[in-house]
């Protein structure tokens, strides 16, 4: 069973009320995404608030909004935000994306999302876990996410999304139809030579050649150890690094 909390170096994520707990791939997304010049950041489907808090730690000048459709998760994310050192820059709202869009928010320099992605697998009997993990008619769709980002990014803004490889291919097609173009893609592997686990892709409003890189999470010689590149990336966050 997952722990009810995850202690980072500069903040703590309580997660007992959240269907989806802190995951390694989400931590990589929060650590690697380029938000260095962003003044306004939106985290869609924030869950525990992890990505929003990581963004607040990494960018001291950014105002960060986060939305979450699950009321219990939104309340826990808000509590996590209130307990951290950057609470004055974090705004958690218990809203669906469509309800949030209806508030006519200002444009964002960066939008982050780890969306529901199991599109063809058996849905969980836990409705909250299904909402968090499975794309369906009653959850956040790829088209809704891409359309919102295309309409609410600043001209040089970015949307960065975390998905498994097959689902990322589908999202790239959907994003292109909405007027978003893939700019960078980081492929996550457990170890060198293993199959890709996740893709982290950044999209913008202007077409350009996509730059692809890779990150292996475990050392080739010892699977129990993090790779040097993973350790360097997560060192500002993980207590053990």
């Amino acid at each position: 069973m997952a722990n009810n909390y995850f202690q980072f170096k500069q903040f703590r994520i309580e997660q007992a009320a959240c269907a989806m707990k802190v995951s390694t791939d989400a931590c990589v997304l929060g650590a690697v995404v380029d938000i260095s010049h962003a003044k306004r950041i939106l985290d869609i489907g924030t869950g525990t608030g992890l990505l929003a808090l990581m963004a607040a730690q990494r960018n001291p000048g950014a105002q960060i909004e986060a939305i979450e459709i699950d009321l219990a998760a939104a309340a826990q994310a808000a509590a996590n935000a209130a307990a951290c050192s950057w609470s004055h820059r974090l705004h958690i709202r218990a809203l669906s994306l469509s309800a949030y869009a209806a508030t006519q928010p200002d444009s964002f320099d960066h939008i982050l999302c780890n969306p529901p992605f199991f599109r063809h697998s058996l849905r969980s009997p836990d409705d909250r876990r299904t909402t968090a993990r499975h794309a369906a008619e009653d959850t956040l769709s790829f088209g809704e996410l891409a359309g919102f980002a295309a309409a609410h990014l600043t001209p040089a803004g970015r949307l960065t999304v975390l998905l498994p490889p097959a689902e990322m291919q589908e999202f790239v097609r959907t994003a292109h139809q909405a007027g978003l173009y893939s700019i960078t893609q980081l492929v996550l592997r457990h170890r060198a030579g293993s199959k890709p686990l996740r893709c982290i892709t950044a999209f913008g409003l202007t077409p350009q050649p996509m730059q692809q890189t890779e990150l292996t999470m475990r050392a080739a010689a010892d699977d129990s150890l993090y790779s040097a590149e993973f350790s360097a990336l997560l060192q500002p966050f993980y207590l053990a690094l």
Side-chain angles (χ1 to χ4, degrees):
M1 180 179 294
N3 289 334
N4 287 335
Y5 70 91
F6 197 107
Q7 184 66 52
F8 292 88
K9 286 183 176 178
Q10 296 192 42
F11 59 88
R12 180 183 177 108
I13 294 291
E14 296 286 351
Q15 55 185 2
C18 298
M20 292 306 300
K21 313 303 183 184
V22 170
S23 66
T24 302
D25 50 358
C27 289
V28 173
L29 170 58
V32 78
V33 60
D34 184 4
I35 54 170
S36 55
H37 301 293
K39 298 301 182 185
R40 278 176 49 80
I41 298 171
L42 173 65
D43 176 17
I44 296 174
T46 194
T48 62
L50 172 66
L51 294 180
L53 268 69
M54 292 182 77
Q57 177 179 330
R58 293 183 59 211
N59 185 333
Q63 291 291 322
I64 301 159
E65 296 196 16
I67 60 172
E68 172 57 52
I69 192 173
D70 183 278
L71 296 180
Q76 185 134 78
N80 288 332
C84 79
S85 302
W86 319 287
S87 58
H88 60 290
R89 296 190 287 110
L90 289 159
H91 311 278
I92 314 295
R93 306 184 70 176
L95 291 173
S96 67
L97 182 58
S98 59
Y100 183 68
T103 68
Q104 300 182 329
D106 291 337
S107 296
F108 293 94
D109 302 304
H110 216 118
I111 297 174
L112 309 175
C113 189
N114 180 6
F117 50 67
F118 292 127
R119 306 185 67 79
H120 305 296
S121 60
L122 183 66
R123 290 176 60 142
S124 169
D126 182 338
D127 288 341
R128 295 178 62 224
R129 191 169 175 83
T130 289
T131 298
R133 291 175 63 87
H134 293 256
E137 292 182 0
D138 56 345
T139 67
L140 176 65
S141 72
F142 289 176
E144 183 182 10
L145 172 58
F148 177 92
H152 292 86
L153 284 173
T154 58
R158 298 287 185 265
L159 164 69
T160 301
V161 177
L162 167 67
L163 286 168
E167 285 75 12
M168 184 59 78
Q169 290 181 0
E170 183 174 349
F171 185 82
V172 167
R173 291 192 292 268
T174 301
H176 287 180
Q177 293 171 359
L180 293 171
Y181 304 93
S182 44
I183 298 169
T184 63
Q185 185 171 92
L186 176 67
V187 178
L188 301 184
R189 299 180 189 271
H190 183 72
R191 68 178 70 85
S194 64
K195 68 178 183 179
L197 296 175
R198 299 286 185 266
C199 295
I200 296 173
T201 307
F203 300 83
L205 296 169
T206 303
Q208 57 185 280
M210 185 180 74
Q211 299 178 354
Q212 189 174 74
T213 55
E214 294 194 357
L215 173 68
T216 57
M217 294 186 286
R218 294 290 175 173
D222 187 346
D223 195 54
S224 67
L225 300 177
Y226 291 128
S227 68
E229 55 186 345
F230 180 92
S231 296
L233 182 65
L234 274 300
Q235 189 277 333
F237 299 97
Y238 279 11
L239 287 174
L241 297 178

